Amino acid sequence: YEDKIGTVVNGTVQRVEPRVVRVEVGKANGIIPQSEQIQGEYYNVGSRIKVLIKDIERDNRGPQLILSRGSEAFIEYLFRQEVPELETGAVEIKTIAREAGRRTKLAVASTVPGVDPVGTFVGGHGTRVQAVMNEVGDQEKIDIVTYDANIEQFIKNALSPAEIARVEIKESDKRATVYVNEDQQSIAIGRGGQNVR
């Protein structure tokens, strides 16, 4: 499985324990630690699920596959299945921020003039993003925003649909102060502060 690290495979749930879910993957067994699970997702013994092979842990009982559904790489892989333009290089994923089970933000860009990167990822009538959501569960919202090399503009894009008055950036501290009208404040902060995080 060395060469399969970073790929997504189908597995079958074998046991559900308080801290880990044990999954059979082909001829091997792996675990999804709590930190790699999607919050609020239920795993039923015998059900088939997609998992990312994140790592191989070696201990005295032999090697163990570490599996993930909560990582950014899992989301990226799912989009690669749905967005052929990623393979051709017409669009790219610049960065992903994920709170598994709650929200994922994808910053995307296009390398080809006239190609709308966000529309490419969303798909006609939202079919592409919906296919990814069907896999991770509807409780996780997926925002797709336009990447911008200008940090100020990028922050504005990432906080949309909130209307941002201005952004002050302190490059040395890697800090940004965002100014909004009062009626836009809760939209910008997001539920439980998730946009800000």
Side-chain angles (χ1 to χ4, degrees):
Y1 284 87
E2 282 286 345
D3 54 347
K4 288 200 174 142
I5 290 177
T7 63
V8 170
V9 295
N10 286 311
T12 308
V13 177
Q14 279 195 314
R15 286 228 312 273
V16 180
E17 296 170 12
R19 296 209 158 272
V20 299
V21 176
R22 297 192 182 275
V23 180
E24 186 181 3
V25 180
K27 292 191 170 68
N29 287 320
I31 57 165
I32 314 177
Q34 210 165 18
S35 58
E36 298 297 336
Q37 296 170 21
I38 296 174
Q39 271 191 327
E41 189 168 65
Y42 291 100
Y43 304 96
N44 297 316
V45 173
S47 62
R48 286 180 66 68
I49 57 170
K50 283 190 167 78
V51 288
L52 176 99
I53 298 178
K54 186 172 184 184
D55 204 2
I56 298 174
E57 224 175 54
R58 290 180 174 75
D59 60 18
N60 41 20
R61 286 169 309 174
Q64 169 112 282
L65 295 179
I66 306 297
L67 309 173
S68 175
R69 284 176 59 81
S71 63
E72 287 81 10
F74 185 68
I75 288 278
E76 181 169 348
Y77 184 93
L78 294 176
F79 271 105
R80 287 200 177 278
Q81 305 305 106
E82 301 298 328
V83 182
E85 293 85 348
L86 271 169
E87 295 308 315
T88 64
V91 293
E92 54 187 356
I93 297 174
K94 286 290 194 180
T95 183
I96 301 176
R98 185 174 190 208
E99 292 183 11
R102 295 209 181 126
R103 185 170 296 257
T104 287
K105 281 183 188 277
L106 231 68
V108 300
S110 139
T111 55
V112 178
V115 171
D116 165 24
V118 172
T120 304
F121 279 83
V122 172
H125 302 297
T127 48
R128 290 174 171 183
V129 75
Q130 192 56 54
V132 173
M133 284 175 70
N134 289 347
E135 180 58 50
V136 296
D138 285 339
Q139 79 279 10
E140 185 166 330
K141 301 284 176 272
I142 299 179
D143 298 345
I144 299 169
V145 300
T146 309
Y147 175 78
D148 201 300
N150 176 328
I151 297 176
E152 184 176 339
Q153 188 55 50
F154 184 31
I155 289 175
K156 285 181 178 176
N157 295 352
L159 292 176
S160 74
E163 290 165 33
I164 309 299
R166 65 192 170 93
V167 179
E168 281 178 9
I169 290 166
K170 271 189 79 172
E171 191 67 72
S172 55
D173 300 350
K174 289 267 185 256
R175 290 179 84 85
T177 308
V178 178
Y179 294 88
V180 295
N181 286 337
E182 203 166 335
D183 62 340
Q184 296 293 307
Q185 194 174 0
S186 62
I187 305 171
I189 292 168
R191 181 179 307 152
Q194 63 186 3
N195 289 343
V196 172
R197 272 201 306 285

